[in-house]
């Protein structure tokens, strides 16, 4: 199988992890690297994912690993046409970047994303935290993307195991590792069509982050979530 990865022209942790996993599976890999501009965000009390920028010359790493490296100048139709003109185009694509893929890149391609939340129950910004605030199950969703945000076709949903002794940091680490695993294992679920469903783009979509005052006290929010979860299990 030939898999393409949408990523950045810089050292990127998830990309590095995906490449390693795909290589162990014997896949042919092509990297499509788009321009990257670092825009520091407002610091938050706790980040759900490890910092993604790593000290890695990604082009040199790809060359040494037998991974095809394609520099993509931008996200315009010209770049998508260049991708479509490749003689050896990937069978499937995965995206490792936090960006809404333009429709002209989606057309004619199967692109998978792993969303840190259950779709359609939790779409949009801070979906993982909103689920905890609302006392809902937390999980991840492998989906084939379309032009709508966190929509398309759900391929596989997984809830995140939560232990009574867990901290929020431990649950986030577990969820992130499961995301990486699920994204690289997409082929296992392609034929399990009974679990596939199309997401209605009209289902609720969060466009707001968790309020700062809630975020600042999120360990306590998670403690209440854990207490309620353990209480439900014991009943």
């Amino acid at each position: 199988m030939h898999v393409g990865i949408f990523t950045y022209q810089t050292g990127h942790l998830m990309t590095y992890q995906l490449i390693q996993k795909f290589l162990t599976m014997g896949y042919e890999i092509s990297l499509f690297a788009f321009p990257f501009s670092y825009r520091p965000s407002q610091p938050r009390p706790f980040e759900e994912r490890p910092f993604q920028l790593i000290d890695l010359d990604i082009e040199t790493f790809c060359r040494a690993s037998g991974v095809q490296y394609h520099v993509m100048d931008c996200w315009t139709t010209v770049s998508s046409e260049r991708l479509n003109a490749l003689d050896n185009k990937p069978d499937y694509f995965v995206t490792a970047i936090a960006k809404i893929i333009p429709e002209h890149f989606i057309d004619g391609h199967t692109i998978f994303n792993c969303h840190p939340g259950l779709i359609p129950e939790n779409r949009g910004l801070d979906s993982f935290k909103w689920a905890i605030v609302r006392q809902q199950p937390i999980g991840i969703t492998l989906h084939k993307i379309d032009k709508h945000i966190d929509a398309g076709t759900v391929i596989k949903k997984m809830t995140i195991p939560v232990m009574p002794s867990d901290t929020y940091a431990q649950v986030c680490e577990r969820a992130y590792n499961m995301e990486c695993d699920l994204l690289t294992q997409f082929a296992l679920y392609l034929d399990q069509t009974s679990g596939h469903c199309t997401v209605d783009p009209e289902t609720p979509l969060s466009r707001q982050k968790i309020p700062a005052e809630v975020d600042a006290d999120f360990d306590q929010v998670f403690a209440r979530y854990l207490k309620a979860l353990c209480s439900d299990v014991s009943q």
Side-chain angles (χ1 to χ4, degrees), residues 1 3-5 14 17-27 29 92-95 110-114 140-144 154-158 174-192 196:
M1 186 182 293
V3 178
I5 303 176
M14 180 176 278
Q17 293 171 306
L18 295 181
I19 290 174
Q20 292 185 93
K21 291 176 183 291
F22 281 135
L23 285 173
T24 64
M25 299 165 76
Y27 288 178
I29 308 169
Y92 301 98
F93 295 83
V94 299
T95 177
T110 300
I111 306 173
F112 296 107
N113 176 58
C114 197
I140 57 176
T141 305
L142 177 70
H143 63 121
K144 175 186 172 183
V154 170
I155 304 298
K156 179 69 175 178
K157 296 164 70 169
M158 300 181 72
R174 187 175 305 137
Y176 174 77
N177 290 333
M178 288 176 67
E179 273 187 65
C180 293
D181 287 340
L182 186 56
L183 195 53
T184 53
Q185 294 169 2
F186 69 86
L188 295 177
Y189 306 104
L190 293 182
D191 294 331
Q192 299 179 14
H196 297 186

Side-chain angles (χ1 to χ4, degrees), residues 4-209:
I5 303 176
F6 287 150
T7 187
Y8 303 111
Q9 296 169 12
T10 189
H12 183 251
L13 179 60
M14 180 176 278
T15 302
Y16 175 65
Q17 293 171 306
L18 295 181
I19 290 174
Q20 292 185 93
K21 291 176 183 291
F22 281 135
L23 285 173
T24 64
M25 299 165 76
Y27 288 178
E28 181 180 357
I29 308 169
S30 290
L31 209 68
F32 296 88
F34 290 85
F36 175 79
S37 178
Y38 181 52
R39 299 183 182 89
S41 57
Q42 189 71 23
R44 306 184 72 179
F46 180 80
E47 297 295 342
E48 286 66 44
R49 293 168 174 245
F51 189 63
Q52 291 292 299
L53 296 184
I54 58 174
D55 184 14
L56 175 71
D57 184 329
I58 186 63
E59 186 171 3
T60 300
F61 173 75
C62 286
R63 192 180 305 119
S65 303
V67 174
Q68 300 170 56
Y69 185 84
H70 300 277
V71 175
M72 307 299 287
D73 297 329
C74 55
W75 288 96
T76 64
T77 54
V78 173
S79 288
S80 65
E81 289 168 358
R82 180 185 163 208
L83 187 157
N84 290 330
L86 291 175
D87 291 331
N88 184 26
K89 195 165 63 170
D91 304 304
Y92 301 98
F93 295 83
V94 299
T95 177
I97 58 181
K99 175 181 174 60
I100 299 173
I101 306 295
E103 191 172 356
H104 50 262
F105 272 93
I106 299 173
D107 290 342
H109 301 138
T110 300
I111 306 173
F112 296 107
N113 176 58
C114 197
H115 174 66
L118 295 174
I119 297 175
E121 298 91 332
N122 286 284
R123 301 172 59 214
L125 287 175
D126 269 354
S127 54
F128 202 77
K129 282 187 171 179
W130 279 119
I132 292 172
V133 168
R134 295 164 179 159
Q135 301 282 309
Q136 296 172 327
I138 53 176
I140 57 176
T141 305
L142 177 70
H143 63 121
K144 175 186 172 183
I145 68 172
D146 65 10
K147 65 180 182 179
H148 302 288
I149 299 172
D150 297 338
T153 303
V154 170
I155 304 298
K156 179 69 175 178
K157 296 164 70 169
M158 300 181 72
T159 55
I160 307 300
V162 180
M163 316 299 175
S165 59
D166 275 338
T167 63
Y168 182 56
Q170 289 171 322
V171 171
C172 288
E173 181 180 8
R174 187 175 305 137
Y176 174 77
N177 290 333
M178 288 176 67
E179 273 187 65
C180 293
D181 287 340
L182 186 56
L183 195 53
T184 53
Q185 294 169 2
F186 69 86
L188 295 177
Y189 306 104
L190 293 182
D191 294 331
Q192 299 179 14
T193 54
S194 61
H196 297 186
C197 65
T198 301
V199 178
D200 181 353
E202 297 303 315
T203 54
L205 171 70
S206 169
R207 298 185 182 276
Q208 295 184 339
K209 290 186 175 182

